[in-house]
Amino acid sequence: MYFYGDLVQGKELDKVARQRKKKYHEITVSQGERASYIEQGWRLKKELKNRVRLYKDKQCDELLEDEVWLLFKNMGFTEMNQDRNFKIQAGATTKQIDVFAKDENNVFIVECKASVEGARVLGKDIREISDLKKDIADSIRNQYKNRDVRVSFIIATQGMRWTERNQNLAENKKVFDWEEAELQYYGELAKHLGKSTKFQLYSILFRGRKAPDLANIKVPAIYAGRGGAKYYSFVIQPEKLLRVAYVHQRRATPKEILDSYQRMLNRARLDKIGRFISKGGYFPNNIIINFTKKPRFDRKAKEGDIVYGILTFPPYYASAWVIDGQHRLYGYANNEKKMKDTVAVLAFESLDVKEQAKLFVEINREQKAVASNLLWDLYPVIYRDSEEVKQQLQQTISLIVRKLNLDSDSPLCDHIKIPSMPTKGAKITNLTMATICDALAENRLVDRDEDLLYEDDYDSTVDFASERLKAYFSVISHSFLKDWKKGNQGLLRTNIGIRILFIILRSLLRYLKYKGLEGIYKKKDLTEFKEEIKKTLNPVLTKLIGMSDEDRSEIRKQTGKGRVLNNAQRMAWWIKEEFEGFGLELLRNWAPPVPSDESDENIRSLLENTEVSLRAFICKELRSLYGEPWWRQGIPEEIKDYTNARIEDRARREPLQRDALRSLPPDKKMDYTTTPHLRKIIEYSPNWSQFEPTFVKDKGYTLAQFKSFEIVRDTYQHYREKQCDEITKKLGYWGMKWIRRCIGSEKTER
């Protein structure tokens, strides 16, 4: 006899679980026994007719045992001890077992130690378990008549202080140590993955070891592709794929794994997919994975480049990284159909980190399956080991933004919505991660070649850049605190305001370099840098403070990239009026003011001529790109609809011209487009490559120039030039001149 006490399975597990979930014990006794139990610490819960129901709080050690027991039950272990009276023969003695958990091929023996006084785990506890390990394992294998059962030992603690010496001792004795953090992470992971959690547990505990229970996962498959893009295609039951699948980095802690799953898997979406599956739903598209260990493929037949055969999975946990289809796969994790349904899989083999990450991002960007916020949040996970400079940069930017949101001394603390982090509510957490990451990327603030907020390497840059960004936003937030606190109801702490402020920051750093003052933001003490920020940005902050709420709101509403840049240019001009040399890059080579000999009539004529020239230029370029179908292929649908509606309206008003109007050639249809339409045609994604060389290969700057031109054109077109303020007129005039020079209407600037 090897076991003493009861083990439970099936429905009995659920019955025991209900009792273990309670934080107290409960009994019903006669009225005569009541006093005796009260003396033993029991308390009254409910008076019955002739009896009383009493309860007593569980002690901390028993609460810990229940927590660990429930964790293993939730992870899908199928046979467990019923109570604290379970023992196993260990040589000449018996050992009481706090938690016994078994699945098909694994048994876990868990010793639970809890204290409310912060006691240390004594080495004797570790040594005692170590001394009994072999005898306990032998008893378990004899009981089940299975020598291949893997037996693992864990010490789980709560309120204990592990010393480095005891941690090393546990590692040497091959006893796993779980502190509160590990229990918390595994518990949260089980909420996401249910019974599939145990395979993630195995991938951590048994890393690098072969798994006998995975040795026989075989599927019919085809093998195709060329070079490094070879792949296997097959169908498989989700339950089998869940055993080896993972979305985290291979060498990861429970916390890192939990973070990965919280980023990658939306709990509500998993539940929705689970309900869809239960109602008979299925997914026709492939789940895409990468085998990180080499599978075996036994060829059976070949036709051309396609080979048919039997694919045997690598016998290792976490050997298949899920590149695409995470929700489809893990939607089966808690569904009974995971053993009956099949899913289609496309599997690559041994893609390197760089190629895995590239494929993941390309798939999700193309399919729009993962929002930009989530991609930025995931970059530290999928690019962690990458040697690609661009990927290192994206990872660095993501880490900087996370730090800005987490650091208590950051003005942006708790104000950024990061998918894997809890939010404080819409009024507080009002900025998106993508807004700030994109702003850092577009302004090249931490690019190595720009030498602005980059230091030594990308790892060092995270802290270096974060501190300077905190200093910058600290000055701005304190200078106009009333607006900053308004969040989305103000200007500065909005997604539009932040984008503008990042553009201004780049100009500020470039200005300091231009003045030979870059040392003030590169040294550790940032006091002088803050003073320079306050002094230089004073013209902008003064004007913003003096603006009406309506004017600030109007800036906030102007969300287009060109308009954002245009507003940043206006603010840079306010600074330039006091600090010569500021915004040289942002303002380029403009030469304000408008020449004195340029009358309003001349400007109006130039504006009209520019618009006519632009239409002719666009027609020529689109014809060069698409040939005769240029109108159909190169004009966005909304513009074609607008143009056709205008032509049809005129045809109704001029019936004698109806046939001629309805048969206008594309060149003449262009006359019915508006000034903003011309910009939209140029920036239209399929067209931009044709126009890019003409407009200095800078799309953002081009859009800003066009926006300035449009505003002034609209003003003069409707005879409202007196309402055009001086800066708007300057920006529009020189924007127009820049456009004319680009398209060849004017070879020299005045």
Side-chain angles (χ1 to χ4, degrees), residues 179-197:
E179 301 179 52
E180 289 98 323
E182 278 84 3
L183 291 173
Q184 177 187 345
Y185 299 139
Y186 283 126
E188 288 297 317
L189 195 58
K191 292 178 183 178
H192 271 73
L193 305 182
K195 295 177 181 179
S196 297
T197 306

Side-chain angles (χ1 to χ4, degrees), residues 594-606:
V594 176
S596 58
D597 60 343
E598 286 283 26
S599 65
D600 285 333
E601 198 57 43
N602 285 342
I603 293 174
R604 182 179 291 109
S605 177
L606 268 176

Side-chain angles (χ1 to χ4, degrees), residues 598-612 709 712-722 729 733 736 740:
E598 286 283 26
S599 65
D600 285 333
E601 198 57 43
N602 285 342
I603 293 174
R604 182 179 291 109
S605 177
L606 268 176
L607 289 165
E608 291 172 355
N609 178 268
T610 302
E611 193 167 354
V612 171
F709 165 66
V712 171
R713 171 63 175 146
D714 182 63
T715 300
Y716 275 82
Q717 194 173 33
H718 295 91
Y719 304 99
R720 292 185 282 111
E721 60 267 27
K722 291 183 180 178
K729 187 173 181 179
Y733 177 82
M736 171 191 67
R740 290 175 64 80

Side-chain angles (χ1 to χ4, degrees), residues 501-553:
L501 290 172
F502 268 104
I503 296 172
I504 296 294
L505 173 59
R506 176 177 173 84
S507 287
L508 172 64
L509 298 175
R510 298 275 294 183
Y511 171 70
L512 292 175
K513 287 175 72 74
Y514 166 75
K515 300 285 286 184
L517 298 174
E518 64 264 38
I520 68 171
Y521 68 80
K522 293 200 170 183
K523 59 186 181 181
K524 187 173 182 179
D525 185 352
L526 296 175
T527 304
E528 193 176 353
F529 179 47
K530 289 183 178 180
E531 289 299 320
E532 193 67 34
I533 297 169
K534 189 173 183 179
K535 179 179 70 174
T536 309
L537 265 59
N538 184 61
V540 168
L541 294 168
T542 300
K543 282 188 178 285
L544 290 177
I545 292 169
M547 275 185 186
S548 66
D549 290 340
E550 291 75 16
D551 287 342
R552 287 194 295 272
S553 177

Side-chain angles (χ1 to χ4, degrees), residues 153-166:
F153 296 83
I154 298 172
I155 292 184
T157 66
Q158 190 171 69
M160 297 285 192
R161 291 180 289 119
W162 280 82
T163 64
E164 185 177 353
R165 180 179 178 181
N166 283 329

